[in-house]
Amino acid sequence: MNHFLSKIILCSCLYFFSSCGLINGEDALDYKEMVKGCTNKNVIMMVCDGCGFNQFIAADYFNYGEKGQQPFYSFPVTIAMSTYSKSANVYSSQKAYSIPDWVRSKFTDSGASATALATGVKTNNNSIGVNSDKNPVKNVTEVAHETGRSAGVVTSMPISHATPAGFTVHQASRTNYTEIAQNMITNTHLDVILGAGHPLFDNNGVAVSAEVVLDSLGNSIGGTPFYDYIGGASLYEKLKAGTATNLDGSWAFIESLSDFEKYASFSSDSLPDRLIGIAPVLYSLQSSRGNGPMPSDTIVGEHPKNTTVPDLKTMSQIALNLLNKNENGFFLMIEGGAIDAAAHEKSIARTIEEMTDFTATVEQVIFWIENHGGFEENLLIITADHETGFLIGPNGYTDKTIDYDLINNGKGKVPGHSFHSSAHTNQLVPLFAKGECAESIEKTLQGIDFRHGSYTDNAVLGTLIHHILIESMPAE
Ligand SMILES: [Zn+2]
């Protein structure tokens, strides 16, 4: 074929990917070339679970009265990203704006999307770090270890929930919490794991009895403690006793707010080599408190927050300082995991509350970067695994049109909106990046969307990050 013609066809495919089918990343994209000369020390990926563009905009309107005020909006890379899994609808810009039922059917779950971001491999929903044949595929925390770096995960959800699991272990099903937690804790090279999922506290951070009330048949009446998120009762006891180990050594363990706050004030030198921290709360730091998120929650801050748990910012500060002990650098995944939980329940108030916690953490991470080598050494990527709730403007949709625009009611006021799904959707999600090698992301574009412009894809981004870590491997 004429070389010029083949180039046009390739370009057409790159830019109108949805009509050409999946570009096989490994074949069509020259990742090695894209990352040539990158000298990253650290890569930090922040995953906003369940966040489309409108979840960000809702918080912008509420907190600032306008869009675009936060620092990440002026990052050099501000694009979109497709999130579909192997078992889902391939992204189509045309369908995303004209067929409401397409938007909310055959979408990715958090397991498949985390796997794509962490391994570069599209897999079926429910999968954790395995391909569609259920074979393990290498994840980014494993690549970090192979390149001499440290690695860790931080989340506002249980440590073994889908997103942190997808970045660290390999399991056929995301609901195998006990096995996931056991693998994360005992069978990896991870250096820090911080999140929720405490067996001895409820969703309000209130202690539950370790001696479960039994009925006459020996069945527990309350159903608690729930040890699965932390890998079972005996592993919990080992963590407390300081005898739990992973492939590299023993874990330090914290579980009280005062310890989280104390550790957040420590410099790298004062922190242990390896740390697991389980906040004293079960399902999420804040979003499940009280009766949990509800569609009727329209007043931000109406329900008093749990006061006995750390926030995402505090946990992230600990992780950054601990990982920074390694002069070769690190990979860290920070998940704002409860935005998804709030949007599943169509709670705009808790969606905004959780977004606010996430973006406050982003600001903290930026501050940390500026004081630890700057963006010359660090790459910060802020993105999402999928949209949740089909959060759109108050006019909703018709058979052929979707009103995506939220109505700005000003600072401190919930924007005009409507939710149209209690599940995930196929919408594109935002991607912001700044730092060493950030521009390589713009070489991975997969199409141009009618509304959001250029977009890449979650599996393509995952593959690229592996290459960034390998290319900038510290010298022996
Ligand atoms: Zn979800």
Side-chain angles (χ1 to χ4, degrees):
M1 191 189 295
N2 173 306
H3 180 68
F4 180 68
L5 189 63
S6 67
K7 213 168 170 183
I8 288 179
I9 292 171
L10 175 64
C11 285
S12 302
C13 264
L14 280 169
Y15 288 107
F16 298 99
F17 161 50
S18 55
S19 59
C20 291
L22 175 64
I23 292 172
N24 183 323
E26 298 300 333
D27 293 345
L29 298 176
D30 187 347
Y31 290 98
K32 272 192 182 159
E33 186 62 30
M34 289 177 198
V35 302
K36 218 171 196 173
C38 292
T39 58
N40 296 69
K41 184 179 177 197
N42 308 321
V43 176
I44 302 164
M45 181 184 275
M46 300 187 68
V47 179
C48 189
D49 196 315
C51 302
F53 283 85
N54 277 349
Q55 277 78 0
F56 277 88
I57 292 169
D60 291 343
Y61 285 163
F62 184 86
N63 288 318
Y64 299 94
E66 59 184 324
K67 286 192 266 190
Q69 284 300 300
Q70 293 171 92
F72 50 83
Y73 285 109
S74 56
F75 276 11
V77 178
T78 57
I79 58 173
M81 185 176 77
S82 57
T83 65
Y84 61 91
S85 61
K86 190 145 189 170
S87 43
N89 284 326
V90 174
Y91 186 72
S92 160
S93 185
Q94 190 199 352
K95 290 175 184 164
Y97 301 106
S98 58
I99 310 175
D101 283 340
W102 181 88
V103 178
R104 58 182 173 191
S105 63
K106 292 186 78 179
F107 40 76
T108 189
D109 82 324
S110 293
S113 192
T115 300
L117 287 168
T119 72
V121 173
K122 294 263 187 206
T123 190
N124 295 328
N125 287 358
N126 212 32
S127 305
I128 295 293
V130 297
N131 63 18
S132 53
D133 295 325
K134 301 199 188 310
N135 294 317
V137 279
K138 191 179 288 182
N139 65 49
V140 65
T141 55
E142 291 165 334
V143 174
H145 174 73
E146 287 176 6
T147 61
R149 293 177 173 87
S150 295
V153 288
V154 175
T155 178
S156 53
M157 299 297 285
I159 58 162
S160 48
H161 219 245
T163 305
F167 277 81
T168 55
V169 297
H170 311 279
Q171 274 285 322
S173 172
R174 60 179 288 179
T175 56
N176 296 342
Y177 292 116
T178 306
E179 293 83 353
I180 288 169
Q182 285 174 352
N183 273 316
M184 283 176 83
I185 294 168
T186 67
N187 199 29
T188 65
H189 296 279
L190 295 172
D191 300 281
V192 64
I193 304 171
L194 304 175
H198 202 295
L200 301 181
F201 290 85
D202 67 13
N203 290 332
N204 298 312
V206 174
V208 294
S209 173
E211 288 80 40
V212 183
V213 180
L214 302 179
D215 66 14
S216 58
L217 297 172
N219 298 315
S220 77
I221 293 170
T224 54
F226 187 78
Y227 285 99
D228 295 20
Y229 291 139
I230 195 167
S234 65
L235 185 51
Y236 173 64
E237 293 304 327
K238 275 187 175 179
L239 283 167
K240 275 183 81 87
T243 57
T245 58
N246 74 357
L247 298 173
D248 295 326
S250 61
W251 288 105
F253 181 64
I254 56 171
E255 55 182 338
S256 69
L257 175 60
S258 59
D259 272 349
F260 275 96
E261 288 178 339
K262 188 170 78 183
Y263 278 54
S265 72
F266 284 170
S267 64
S268 296
D269 292 344
S270 306
L271 286 164
D273 289 341
R274 229 161 277 104
L275 177 68
I276 293 181
I278 307 296
V281 68
L282 185 62
Y283 190 61
S284 71
L285 298 179
Q286 295 290 346
S287 87
S288 299
R289 69 190 191 275
N291 294 321
M294 306 237 230
S296 54
D297 291 329
T298 55
I299 301 172
V300 177
E302 183 182 24
H303 303 281
K305 282 195 168 180
N306 292 336
T307 56
T308 54
V309 297
D311 55 18
L312 193 65
K313 198 164 74 169
T314 302
M315 296 198 297
S316 300
Q317 180 75 3
I318 297 170
L320 289 164
N321 283 338
L322 186 149
L323 294 172
N324 201 43
K325 289 159 88 82
N326 186 342
E327 59 190 26
N328 291 334
F330 62 79
F331 173 85
L332 173 63
M333 192 287 294
I334 299 170
E335 183 199 22
I339 298 108
D340 177 67
H344 270 289
E345 303 303 328
K346 304 181 179 179
S347 167
I348 190 66
R350 292 205 186 180
T351 297
I352 291 172
E353 286 176 13
E354 291 295 329
M355 283 302 305
T356 304
D357 187 47
F358 179 77
T359 55
T361 307
V362 172
E363 286 180 29
Q364 160 114 349
V365 170
I366 292 171
F367 183 77
W368 187 94
I369 287 172
E370 286 167 345
N371 288 283
H372 294 85
F375 283 100
E376 295 78 29
E377 288 188 359
N378 295 277
L379 170 60
L380 173 60
I381 300 167
I382 303 159
T383 189
D385 56 353
H386 52 75
E387 196 270 347
T388 301
F390 202 177
L391 174 59
I392 58 177
N395 297 322
Y397 61 85
T398 67
D399 284 351
K400 292 197 175 113
T401 61
I402 300 169
D403 168 33
Y404 273 102
D405 291 328
L406 302 181
I407 302 296
N408 186 0
N409 289 323
K411 188 175 175 177
K413 304 229 168 63
V414 167
H417 71 283
S418 58
F419 284 101
H420 295 278
S421 174
S422 53
H424 304 170
T425 66
N426 292 314
Q427 295 175 55
L428 295 177
V429 295
L431 190 164
F432 310 97
K434 181 175 179 177
E436 173 62 14
C437 214
E439 68 286 353
S440 64
I441 297 169
E442 290 190 313
K443 298 173 188 164
T444 68
L445 300 183
Q446 299 288 294
I448 295 180
D449 181 66
F450 297 148
R451 188 175 173 87
H452 301 298
S454 301
Y455 65 91
T456 187
D457 175 75
N458 59 2
V460 171
L461 179 68
T463 304
L464 182 77
I465 294 167
H466 285 210
H467 283 269
I468 289 173
L469 290 174
I470 291 164
E471 170 69 11
S472 52
M473 182 151 67
E476 289 286 316

